[in-house]
Amino acid sequence: MPYKIFSPPQIKAIEELTMVKQNIPSHELMERAGNAFTEWFTSELKPESHSVFILCGQGNNGGDGLVIARLLSEQFYKVKIGFVTSSQQASEDFFLNKSRLPSDKGIETFQIREPVDLEIVEPQDTIIDAILGTGTNRPVSDSWAILFKKINSLENLVVSVDIPSGMICHGITEGEVIRADEVLSFEFVKLAFLLPENKFRIKNWTIKSIGLDPEAIKKENTPFYLSTKEDLSLILRERNRFSYKNLFGHALILAGSREMCGAGLLTATACLRSGAGLVTLMTDPNCFTTVHSSRPEIMCLDRAELSMLALEKFQAIAVGPGLGTRFPFEILFSLPLSIPLVLDADALNFLSTKSDFLNLIPKNSILTPHRGEFTRLAGPCKDELEVLEKGIRFARDNKVNLVIKGPYTACISPEGKVFFNHTGNPGMATAGSGDVLTGILTGILAQGYPTLDAARLGVWVHGLAGDLSLNFESEESLLAGDIIDTLGEAFKEIKGD
C-alpha cells in the first residue's frame, strides 16, 4: 500500500489507539521514536562528528530529544543539551525522560533563552532540532522567530526530529522555520514536506516506523497518499512467455509539427520503450524522414487524415506535445472517442480556451498539466494547497485523472484521492521531459492497465529513469532523451531485477 498522509489530530488518534491496543504508556512510544532516530542517525546518516547539540523544547518533541540524548551518550557521542525555555507547559513524558538522563556519561546541559546563548554551539556539533513538533498550527512568535533565525545562520548540520520546528505539519507555513538538512519523520510523511512553499526549509527527509498499529492506520481516512516502490511493484505485470505484440496494445500518438518534430519523436519513442506493442505517430509529413531514420519501429500517419482515422483499432491515444495551435482539436474531439486519452501541452492549452470541450473527453482520461497549465484550466491559485483543492474538484467534476507535474508530482483520481510521487530530480526540468512522460503513460495505458494505475506507475518510472540518468549525466546536462535511455533500468528496478 502507498503511505497515508495524515493531519496532526489523525496522527494523535492513531498513537492513542496504538497505546490502547498494545497496552503501552505514552513514554514507550517516545522510547520507540528515540530508538528509531538513534539507529538511523548512527547507521544511515553517519555524520562525521560524534558531537551533537540537542535543542529540546518542553513538549513531547523535546521528550523525544531527551531519549535521543540518552541513547547517543550510551554510544559514546559527546552530547550537549540546550533546553529552550518558553511559556509552554512541560509534558509529563518530558520530565520523565529528563529524570532518566544518565549522570555518568558527561552530558552537558544549557539554558537557551535568547540567540546569544547559542554561541556555545561548536562548529563540529550536529544540531538536533527537537524544539517544536507537529502541534504547530500558526506562525511562531517573534521570540521563537529570532531564535530560529540565529539557528539558521549557523553552518552546522541541522537534523530535525519528526518535523522542522515551526513548520505547520498539514499546511503552508508563513512564519520562521528551522531549516533542516535532514528530517527523520516517524511513521508518516508530512504533507508540508511535499509543498513547494517549503523547498528552502527542508533538504531531505526519511520515514521510519515506530510500530504504530496497522489497524489504527487503516481506520483513518485521508485523500493524501505517497506512492512507494513496493506498492507500484505490485501493479507492474509480469509478461507471459507466449505473448505477442498485439497483446500489448496499439498506441496512437498525435504529436509534433513541422516546427517541433522532436516532440512527436520523443513521445512515440517513450511509448515504445514503456511496453506498447505497436506505436503510430500522427504528425506533419515533414517529420516522417526524421522519425523513420531515428526510430524505424514507429509507424507514421499524416495529421491531415485525422477526420478519416479509424480510432477503434487503438488501445490508447495521446494528444498534445508539439502539435501547435493550428491543430484541428475541434475535429478530434468531435470524433467518437470511447477510450481514455492522455492529454498534454497544446491539447491542454486548447481546453483552457474552449472549456465546453471538456465534456467530450472520455471518462478516466489522463490530463498532465504543469502548474501553469493547470491554473489556465482551473483558475488562479494563491498557493499549493489551493492547487490541490482545485485539482481534486476538477478531477471529480470532469471524471478524469489529473497529473499535476512538478516536484512531488500529484496524481489525482476521479474519486479525489491524491497520490504524490517522490522520484525525479531538478535536472528533469528540461525541454521534452513532459513529452517523454506523455509517451510513458500512453505506453502503459495501451497495455490495458487501469488509468489511475497507469498514471501512478508512469509518473514513478519517469522520475526513476531521470534519477538513474544521473549515473551518467549531471542535473545541468540531463536531456529528455537520456530519460528514455534509462527506462529499461527503471522498469528492472521496480521489478527487483
Side-chain angles (χ1 to χ4, degrees):
M1 288 292 292
Y3 288 131
K4 287 184 170 183
I5 302 173
F6 294 117
S7 66
Q10 289 178 302
I11 295 172
K12 185 176 180 181
I14 292 168
E15 290 174 343
E16 290 176 347
L17 189 53
T18 296
M19 289 185 285
V20 171
K21 293 188 70 174
Q22 298 180 6
N23 192 27
I24 57 172
S26 57
H27 63 79
E28 174 59 30
L29 274 186
M30 195 170 284
E31 193 73 17
R32 292 184 189 179
N35 272 289
F37 182 95
T38 303
E39 183 178 348
W40 165 79
F41 186 83
T42 56
S43 63
E44 295 182 37
L45 186 60
K46 296 180 181 177
E48 291 182 8
S49 171
H50 274 220
S51 179
V52 297
F53 198 105
I54 306 177
L55 293 168
C56 293
Q58 298 177 167
N60 287 339
N61 197 242
D64 292 338
L66 293 175
V67 176
I68 293 164
R70 169 166 48 83
L71 296 174
L72 286 178
S73 72
E74 292 171 358
Q75 297 198 34
F76 306 105
Y77 275 73
K78 180 183 178 182
V79 177
K80 291 173 281 187
I81 302 173
F83 291 106
V84 184
T85 56
S86 70
S87 58
Q88 175 189 17
Q89 185 176 358
S91 71
E92 291 183 10
D93 289 340
F94 172 86
F95 279 128
L96 174 63
N97 281 293
K98 189 175 182 181
S99 71
R100 288 180 171 180
L101 289 174
S103 58
D104 60 343
K105 299 293 184 181
I107 297 176
E108 298 179 77
T109 61
F110 306 88
Q111 294 296 321
I112 306 297
R113 297 184 177 86
E114 53 188 49
V116 69
D117 296 331
L118 289 167
E119 292 181 2
I120 56 175
V121 177
E122 298 179 85
Q124 71 271 21
D125 291 339
T126 296
I127 295 175
I128 297 179
D129 158 36
I131 304 174
L132 302 175
T134 57
T136 302
N137 56 17
R138 61 182 181 275
V140 296
S141 65
D142 290 343
S143 60
W144 283 113
I146 293 169
L147 183 65
F148 290 175
K149 284 181 181 178
K150 175 62 178 178
I151 295 169
N152 291 337
S153 72
L154 301 175
E155 296 183 0
N156 303 65
L157 176 71
V158 178
V159 183
S160 289
V161 178
D162 204 25
I163 189 170
S165 291
M167 184 174 284
I168 294 175
C169 175
H170 212 62
I172 293 171
T173 309
E174 296 179 354
E176 192 69 29
V177 173
I178 287 183
R179 296 191 197 119
D181 297 294
E182 302 283 345
V183 179
L184 193 282
S185 184
F186 300 129
E187 204 76 49
F188 311 112
V189 65
K190 311 302 189 282
L191 181 62
F193 298 175
L194 311 177
L195 304 179
E197 286 83 356
N198 290 321
K199 61 186 174 183
F200 296 118
R201 291 166 165 165
I202 179 171
K203 289 184 181 178
N204 301 302
W205 49 265
T206 304
I207 306 170
K208 292 293 180 183
S209 175
I210 56 172
L212 296 184
D213 183 71
E215 289 302 316
I217 295 171
K218 185 178 180 180
K219 180 181 176 181
E220 288 291 333
N221 294 318
T222 176
F224 299 118
Y225 300 81
L226 181 71
S227 293
T228 66
K229 175 183 171 181
E230 289 72 24
D231 85 271
L232 292 173
S233 68
L234 299 176
I235 291 174
L236 188 60
R237 299 169 181 169
E238 184 177 348
R239 292 196 167 198
N240 189 296
R241 180 177 292 275
F242 297 98
S243 300
Y244 55 98
K245 64 186 177 185
N246 289 340
L247 287 179
F248 302 117
H250 189 172
L252 175 66
I253 308 293
L254 279 69
S257 59
R258 182 173 184 175
E259 299 83 2
M260 292 181 282
C261 289
L265 179 58
L266 284 168
T267 307
T269 304
C271 184
L272 272 173
R273 288 288 190 197
S274 300
L278 298 159
V279 174
T280 295
L281 173 62
M282 175 167 270
T283 190
D284 190 296
N286 289 288
C287 299
F288 286 7
T289 300
T290 300
V291 173
H292 288 149
S293 61
S294 300
R295 278 267 71 94
E297 302 91 342
I298 298 171
M299 297 174 283
C300 288
L301 285 176
D302 187 342
R303 56 193 275 179
E305 301 174 9
L306 177 63
S307 60
M308 298 177 287
L309 197 59
L311 295 176
E312 63 275 4
K313 69 178 183 179
F314 301 106
Q315 283 69 54
I317 301 174
V319 186
L323 281 177
T325 57
R326 297 190 298 273
F327 185 82
F329 290 101
E330 292 92 340
I331 294 176
L332 170 67
F333 289 119
S334 66
L335 294 175
L337 300 167
S338 59
I339 59 173
L341 308 177
V342 180
L343 301 176
D344 184 35
D346 290 314
L348 301 177
N349 293 331
F350 170 79
L351 291 171
S352 68
T353 60
K354 304 281 187 178
S355 58
D356 290 348
F357 283 84
L358 282 169
N359 297 323
L360 301 178
I361 296 174
K363 305 309 178 191
N364 279 317
S365 290
I366 303 174
L367 280 63
T368 65
H370 56 61
R371 281 163 177 80
E373 290 167 337
F374 178 70
T375 56
R376 290 196 287 274
L377 282 169
C381 302
K382 67 178 184 294
D383 55 37
E384 189 67 11
L385 284 182
E386 188 171 1
V387 169
L388 295 174
E389 290 168 3
K390 285 191 174 182
I392 291 171
R393 194 179 313 129
F394 185 94
R396 281 175 170 165
D397 291 348
N398 295 286
K399 297 180 175 57
V400 296
N401 295 275
L402 195 60
V403 175
I404 303 180
K405 297 181 292 191
Y408 302 115
T409 290
C411 297
I412 307 177
S413 74
E415 295 74 36
K417 291 185 176 181
V418 182
F419 296 87
F420 292 98
N421 180 77
H422 65 87
T423 59
N425 62 79
M428 298 176 70
T430 186
S433 179
D435 304 338
V436 172
L437 174 61
T438 297
I440 294 170
L441 295 171
T442 310
I444 295 173
L445 202 58
Q447 297 169 69
Y449 283 82
T451 47
L452 179 59
D453 287 352
R456 293 179 58 219
L457 181 58
V459 167
W460 181 277
V461 170
H462 179 250
L464 180 56
D467 290 339
L468 292 169
S469 296
L470 296 185
N471 292 325
F472 314 100
E473 300 293 340
S474 70
E475 289 182 349
E476 293 80 7
S477 67
L478 186 64
L479 300 178
D482 300 327
I483 301 171
I484 296 175
D485 291 342
T486 48
L487 279 174
E489 291 300 316
F491 279 108
K492 286 180 182 179
E493 184 166 316
I494 294 175
K495 291 189 290 186
D497 294 349

